[in-house]
Amino acid sequence: MQENNNTPIILALESSCDDTACAILRGDEVLANLQASQSIHERFGGVVPELASREHMKHIYPLVSEALQVASVKKEELSAIACTRGPGLIGSLIVGVNFAKALALGMSIPLIEVNHMQAHVAAHYIENKPPFPFICLTVSGGHTQLVLVRERLNMELIGETLDDAAGEAFDKAAKLFGLPYPGGPQLDRLAQRGTAKFPFAKPKVDGLNFSFSGLKTSILYFVQKQEKGFIEENLTDLCASVQNVVVEVLIEKLTLAAESYGINHIAIAGGVSANSELRTRIQELGTQKGWNTYIPQFQYCTDNAAMIGIVGYYKYLSLDFADLSLAPIAKWSI
Ligand code: KG4
Ligand code: ZN
């Protein structure tokens, strides 16, 4: 975009789960996009909410300072502070929202609330900018959503999971196979060397909704019936088989959505959109079906603050500000 002195500079904070993230955007240009991960949860095999909040408190101030340095921006130059209001872990959200409120109050600049799930979709406005309307499959550790995006921030939920999210299915399967948390990325890497030869049943739900909780149980029963050492000997094939079922379900529902709504601009978003098999299959299907497909860069798939910043930027342009009574919300529809 054309830069001038009036282009807003937004500082964005994301703290909905276990990563503290801070980004600085000038207009829609990302000047800094930093993250502090929390390895403390690995030994528990999942995110421990209380520990996550404490880690956010440790990381947030140094991360904001570093982001200002990386972006070469002085805090006096900031136009507004955007933060994730929800959905997410309430303790984690409280840290980010309160830090954002204090900074906005201290600098006498506006505060902007951002819905984390909207932001995953909006990550596309940083680079690809799909035309409206488009359909986005948002797949993360906590959500699996089919979203009809009518206009930039006008989004309608047209399908979602009835139980576990796709990322959760990957993480739970990975845990069963003895892989460290979060297992999704490792399962993906191992699957690349395996063959999808184990016939895990595809969960069946009508319409545009999903269900993944039965898959975990069927994997568990399957491995329990095998000889000792089976998992170690067949790890890559097991990973490939799980990945194949999850990706097949996602692709089927996405195709149904595209056909039902007659839309051929198709995007994916969220942590699971980093999955190599999903990315390849969406591209192949796009070519077959004549879709225009939009796949985010890896840094904008998993949780990041640049996606919060881009929503912040567009809300800033429409003067959509929050007041200082803003409270985080754990459950918040798109
Ligand atoms: O969007 P995200 O970073 O956080 C949430 O909002 O939940 O998504 C995290 C999820 C985790 O379940 C993680 O295992 C999964 O995304 N994930 C992957 C891959 N990279 C991240 N799942 C499969 N393949 C990957 N390459
Ligand atoms: Zn997320």
Side-chain angles (χ1 to χ4, degrees), residues 272-293:
V272 178
S273 66
N275 182 267
S276 56
E277 175 82 5
L278 180 64
R279 293 168 85 91
T280 311
R281 297 271 291 273
I282 295 272
Q283 266 159 341
E284 284 169 2
L285 198 68
T287 313
Q288 247 178 53
K289 303 238 171 218
W291 292 347
N292 299 308
T293 53

Side-chain angles (χ1 to χ4, degrees), residues 2-268:
Q2 197 80 40
E3 273 177 34
N4 61 43
N5 287 340
N6 296 326
T7 307
I9 302 181
I10 312 283
L11 185 143
L13 292 168
E14 151 61 32
S15 69
S16 64
C17 190
D18 61 338
D19 283 340
T20 321
C22 177
I24 297 179
L25 278 75
R26 179 184 284 118
D28 59 3
E29 184 197 352
V30 180
L31 304 180
N33 185 29
L34 306 184
Q35 234 139 329
S37 304
Q38 303 184 355
S39 52
I40 194 163
H41 306 285
E42 273 166 30
R43 77 188 87 146
F44 301 102
V47 177
V48 182
E50 178 58 30
L51 293 180
S53 321
R54 286 164 194 259
E55 290 290 295
H56 283 303
M57 280 174 27
K58 266 194 247 162
H59 292 156
I60 199 159
Y61 184 81
L63 199 68
V64 167
S65 306
E66 196 188 338
L68 287 164
Q69 253 178 24
V70 169
S72 297
V73 164
K74 294 193 201 67
K75 67 177 186 313
E76 295 71 28
E77 292 177 87
L78 296 174
S79 314
I81 312 294
C83 66
T84 305
R85 185 184 182 192
L89 300 172
I90 198 69
S92 294
L93 292 165
I94 285 172
V95 179
V97 168
N98 282 300
F99 195 94
K101 279 160 71 165
L103 202 51
L105 178 66
M107 304 298 305
S108 299
I109 52 176
L111 175 71
I112 299 169
E113 58 169 305
V114 176
N115 178 306
H116 181 90
M117 297 314 293
Q118 258 201 359
H120 269 302
V121 178
H124 284 285
Y125 309 151
I126 298 171
E127 26 168 23
N128 295 317
K129 302 192 177 17
F132 306 110
F134 68 93
I135 286 178
C136 186
L137 169 73
T138 312
V139 267
S140 72
H143 295 81
T144 300
Q145 301 186 332
L146 276 163
V147 182
L148 170 62
V149 188
R150 296 183 199 280
E151 278 167 35
R152 195 167 279 130
L153 297 178
N154 177 353
M155 303 180 188
E156 186 191 335
L157 188 63
I158 55 171
E160 65 182 330
T161 184
L162 304 175
D163 41 56
D164 288 358
E168 220 172 336
F170 279 130
D171 294 339
K172 285 179 176 173
K175 196 171 177 181
L176 275 173
F177 302 156
L179 302 174
Y181 181 87
Q186 312 220 32
L187 190 141
D188 181 357
R189 267 194 298 280
L190 290 164
Q192 287 169 32
R193 291 190 274 121
T195 309
K197 65 181 195 192
F198 299 114
F200 298 127
K202 230 189 304 178
K204 293 228 179 304
V205 181
D206 285 343
L208 296 177
N209 289 330
F210 305 81
S211 165
F212 288 107
S213 64
L215 180 62
K216 179 195 64 184
T217 319
S218 79
I219 299 166
L220 177 67
Y221 289 162
F222 177 80
V223 295
Q224 275 175 347
K225 276 191 266 159
Q226 313 300 326
E227 310 262 290
K228 201 166 173 286
F230 176 84
I231 293 180
E232 292 73 15
E233 279 161 31
N234 295 279
L235 188 58
T236 56
D237 292 341
L238 283 165
C239 290
S241 306
V242 172
Q243 181 171 268
N244 183 54
V245 176
V246 175
V247 170
E248 289 242 315
V249 173
L250 296 176
I251 297 270
E252 258 175 38
K253 297 289 180 170
L254 185 54
T255 307
L256 182 62
E259 285 167 0
S260 314
Y261 285 84
I263 290 176
N264 68 352
H265 295 290
I266 305 296
I268 56 173

